[in-house]
Amino acid sequence: MPMPPPTFDDILAAAARIAPHAHPTPVLRSNTLDALAGCRLYFKAEPLQRGGAFKFRGACNAVWALDEAEAARGVVTHSSGNHGAALALAARTRGIPCHVVVPEGANAAKLANIARYGAQIHTCAPTIAAREATADRVQADTGAVLIHPYTHPHVIAGQGTAALELLNAHRHIEAVVAPVGGGGLLSGTAIAAAASTPGCRVHGAEPTGAADTAASLAAGTRKIDFVPDTVCDGLRGTLGEPNFAVLQAHGVTVHTVPDDETLAAMRLIWQCLKLLVEPSSAIALAAILRHRALFAGQDVGVVLSGGNVDLDALPWAVAA
């Protein structure tokens, strides 16, 4: 049976559970970006989290919430990269086995992280159906506990700790913008914001080439039959059912952004914040720049989700 989504108490419990392992990441500011956006921006720098992304929060919470018998069986997931690496790292902190199902053509930097943290990699076709089927087979073969990348309640609760830290440090923030793919980060953000900062509006940023969340919220039902076409490899997953329910319940607004604007925002963050971010992260700033009037004059939190860029794939990269 599907597990219910987490509560704010679950996010508080997650914050306590992951405290010995996760980094409290800094909040960065830029007068230049404030001027471009027409508002005051507070960037939660999750590329500086362990594993290079917010995903470690949810994975760590899920791994350390397992009882001893469950942990001994190990964990399994499917992931395009960041969640797989995060789960591998979290599993290593507890000394348990980890299996990660990865689609063909995944980001090379993220694959390297998964391997570096000691997980066993299983490759599958680049579709959600293939990922889920392969993860089910690995689970049946190994007995490992499935830690879904965005629908697992402990994962959602862990992801919500990023917004919790941001809003606890800056109580005056009026809106928070976060990327959305499967919806783990955005739904955790919505729960955290509603309880910790009533009145704070939550916005999602989604690629136009993978706009299932925006379409689902507009239709009032999940619209997940699509083929993603976006440079944002971390946002190609389909919106999870419990995540959709949370976003609906909290009145979250999702804005779609074309890839060229996302890449321009990524360059701006590199230039102004001196922080390495991936496209799936920079899309949050791109959404604000695309909708300046909506955020004008406000204090706006921006969750920069990760920084695992394949540097060898950049135009100016030179092979070692």
Side-chain angles (χ1 to χ4, degrees):
M1 292 293 292
M3 293 178 281
T7 65
F8 183 60
D9 284 344
D10 293 321
I11 293 177
L12 295 177
R17 187 178 288 121
I18 71 175
H21 311 284
H23 298 322
T25 53
V27 175
L28 306 180
R29 302 273 289 113
S30 166
N31 291 335
T32 300
L33 293 178
D34 284 359
L36 286 172
C39 58
R40 294 168 296 279
L41 300 170
Y42 297 80
F43 294 94
K44 184 64 169 164
E46 287 299 292
L48 301 179
Q49 184 54 258
R50 292 185 68 179
F54 77 96
K55 292 281 191 176
F56 181 70
R57 295 174 179 273
C60 184
N61 188 47
V63 162
W64 284 95
L66 297 172
D67 63 34
E68 290 299 325
E70 291 172 322
R73 291 156 48 196
V75 290
V76 60
T77 195
H78 59 81
S79 168
S80 62
N82 278 340
H83 174 70
L87 190 65
L89 178 56
R92 193 173 76 175
T93 67
R94 195 163 178 182
I96 63 175
C98 179
H99 302 267
V100 180
V101 174
V102 177
E104 296 168 355
N107 179 294
K110 296 177 183 180
L111 276 175
N113 285 342
I114 295 171
R116 182 181 304 116
Y117 298 138
Q120 184 173 343
I121 296 174
H122 308 262
T123 306
C124 70
T127 67
I128 294 297
R131 284 165 53 159
E132 292 178 344
T134 306
D136 288 345
R137 177 181 57 78
V138 173
Q139 184 182 23
D141 291 345
T142 64
V145 177
L146 178 65
I147 307 296
H148 193 278
Y150 45 83
T151 65
H152 196 293
H154 284 132
V155 170
I156 297 171
Q159 317 306 31
T161 63
L164 180 67
E165 286 179 7
L166 172 63
L167 294 170
N168 280 345
H170 301 278
R171 308 296 301 184
H172 50 84
I173 285 177
E174 300 161 86
V176 176
V177 183
V180 58
L185 174 62
L186 190 59
S187 53
T189 297
I191 296 167
S196 68
T197 313
C200 178
R201 294 170 294 108
V202 176
H203 299 258
E206 184 173 51
T208 55
D212 57 311
T213 304
S216 297
L217 291 173
T221 185
R222 287 167 73 226
K223 300 290 185 181
I224 58 174
D225 185 14
F226 74 103
V227 177
D229 180 17
T230 176
V231 71
C232 301
D233 62 285
L235 305 181
R236 294 171 185 161
T238 54
L239 176 65
E241 187 172 348
N243 314 90
F244 174 56
V246 170
L247 300 185
Q248 273 193 314
H250 290 281
V252 173
T253 302
V254 172
H255 309 282
T256 59
V257 182
D259 280 354
D260 60 337
E261 293 181 20
T262 293
L263 293 174
M266 182 170 71
R267 186 180 183 90
L268 281 172
I269 292 169
W270 290 2
Q271 290 174 326
C272 299
L273 295 182
K274 312 306 179 188
L275 183 69
L276 185 66
V277 297
E278 58 194 85
S280 300
S281 177
I283 194 171
L285 173 61
I288 296 168
L289 295 176
R290 187 174 178 82
H291 298 280
R292 287 175 177 83
L294 191 62
F295 301 99
Q298 298 175 32
D299 293 304
V300 182
V302 187
V303 182
L304 296 177
S305 54
N308 291 313
V309 178
D310 184 3
L311 297 176
D312 291 335
L314 296 177
W316 57 81
V318 177

